[in-house]
Amino acid sequence: MKIIDPQLIRNVTIVGEPQETRALIGRLCRRHAGNGSRSAVTVDWVTDHVEHRVRLIELSSHAPIAELERAIRTADGVVVLMNAAATSAPRVEALLRVADDHQVARLCLVGGLDDAAADFGHCVRTVAATRGAVPLTLQIPFGTGAAFRGVIDVVPMWELEPMAAEFFGSHWPIAEQRYHELVDAVLAQDTGRSPTPGAGTMAAHQLYDRIRHLTRIGDVVPVLCDASPHTDDIAALLDAMVRYLPSPMHVCQPEHALD
């Protein structure tokens, strides 16, 4: 039996529409040889040269609200699936509020970006409207609707700035703006002071560390984009789970002991 350091474990609850959570669990099983049932999957994943064990549980947003509240309240970390084409998502908003009330670390994964009605900004505003937490767009869509071509990873992109500017073409100014907004938001949350807008840069590992701290205490919500159907790869999501969500050793909520 392989012994795993508890600090290298991530227990993650994936919440969303049943078909969306099932599809995501299925992709994990196919692409990364996850072990377990379709509703409870274990994936061994290497991020930043360290192997972690990610345990995933599927939770339907259609479950009774009391069950959802208890599951989120006792979760180590939550990934909330959002649909960019949905005009309203009261259940998603309620889930985000519950997670915020109990300071549960959470990520948001936005899908449906290839839909003609996709509005990534609306999803970000929905997270922002949930009291207490600031959304951090770690990824942005490379086009939307019929023009959707994939995802731009804002943090690592900056370290490849000359090549990235050429590759992303007309999307580069937006990506550059989002990067500076991300750094500004992290600095403002971390220091309590307003930085000079658009002037901040930060080494990727420092940015990861600061986002990890702010996510774990519930002050920010990292927002990622689902690259499907153009690619079935979800490496960036697993990296984000490992980098930003807490291990069982970092979760100290009374509910975890009582429930």
Side-chain angles (χ1 to χ4, degrees):
M1 180 180 294
K2 185 177 181 180
I3 299 176
I4 304 294
D5 183 345
Q7 296 192 67
L8 302 180
I9 293 174
R10 301 293 183 270
N11 296 316
V12 182
T13 302
I14 300 176
V15 189
E17 290 291 316
Q19 66 273 20
E20 295 174 356
T21 57
R22 282 195 297 268
L24 183 59
I25 293 294
R27 287 162 62 193
L28 280 162
C29 290
R30 290 195 304 273
R31 296 286 294 179
H32 300 294
N35 301 313
S37 68
R38 290 185 63 85
S39 60
V41 174
T42 298
V43 178
D44 290 329
W45 183 251
V46 177
T47 296
D48 300 327
H49 310 293
V50 178
E51 183 175 353
H52 296 74
R53 175 154 293 179
V54 183
R55 298 169 176 166
L56 302 158
I57 297 174
E58 177 186 354
L59 179 64
S60 168
S61 60
H62 291 188
I65 193 64
E67 179 182 333
L68 285 170
E69 288 185 1
R70 182 182 182 279
I72 292 173
R73 179 163 51 88
T74 58
D76 288 359
V78 173
V79 173
V80 179
L81 305 187
M82 306 181 75
N83 191 324
T87 55
S88 65
R91 277 279 176 146
V92 169
E93 295 174 26
L95 297 175
L96 289 170
R97 283 194 293 272
V98 170
D100 186 73
D101 285 343
H102 297 281
Q103 292 186 302
V104 176
R106 61 266 191 210
L107 309 174
C108 287
L109 179 67
V110 180
L113 293 164
D114 60 324
D115 192 288
D119 185 348
F120 178 70
H122 173 72
C123 293
V124 176
R125 291 189 296 273
T126 297
V127 177
T130 304
R131 59 187 181 279
V134 174
L136 299 180
T137 52
L138 305 188
Q139 296 179 328
I140 59 174
F142 192 177
T144 55
F148 179 64
R149 295 292 179 269
V151 170
I152 300 175
D153 280 302
V154 174
V155 177
M157 166 208 77
W158 188 254
E159 297 192 338
L160 303 173
E161 188 264 336
M163 289 184 292
E166 181 178 353
F167 179 78
F168 293 120
S170 62
H171 291 274
W172 172 251
I174 297 175
E176 184 178 23
Q177 178 184 346
R178 293 291 181 269
Y179 172 80
H180 288 302
E181 290 174 351
L182 171 63
V183 174
D184 291 347
V186 169
L187 290 174
Q189 289 294 312
D190 213 15
T191 66
R193 296 190 300 269
S194 298
T196 302
T201 62
M202 195 181 299
H205 71 277
Q206 293 177 324
L207 199 48
Y208 292 145
D209 287 344
R210 294 195 182 201
I211 295 171
R212 175 187 301 115
H213 170 70
L214 293 169
T215 301
R216 288 178 177 176
I217 63 176
D219 284 356
V220 303
V221 180
V223 180
L224 295 90
C225 301
D226 192 344
S228 64
H230 290 277
T231 174
D232 204 29
D233 192 16
I234 49 175
L237 175 60
L238 284 165
D239 284 340
M241 291 177 184
V242 167
R243 285 191 178 121
Y244 309 126
L245 295 181
S247 74
M249 303 294 290
H250 292 100
V251 177
C252 299
Q253 297 183 24
E255 291 86 349
H256 291 74
L258 296 174
D259 286 316

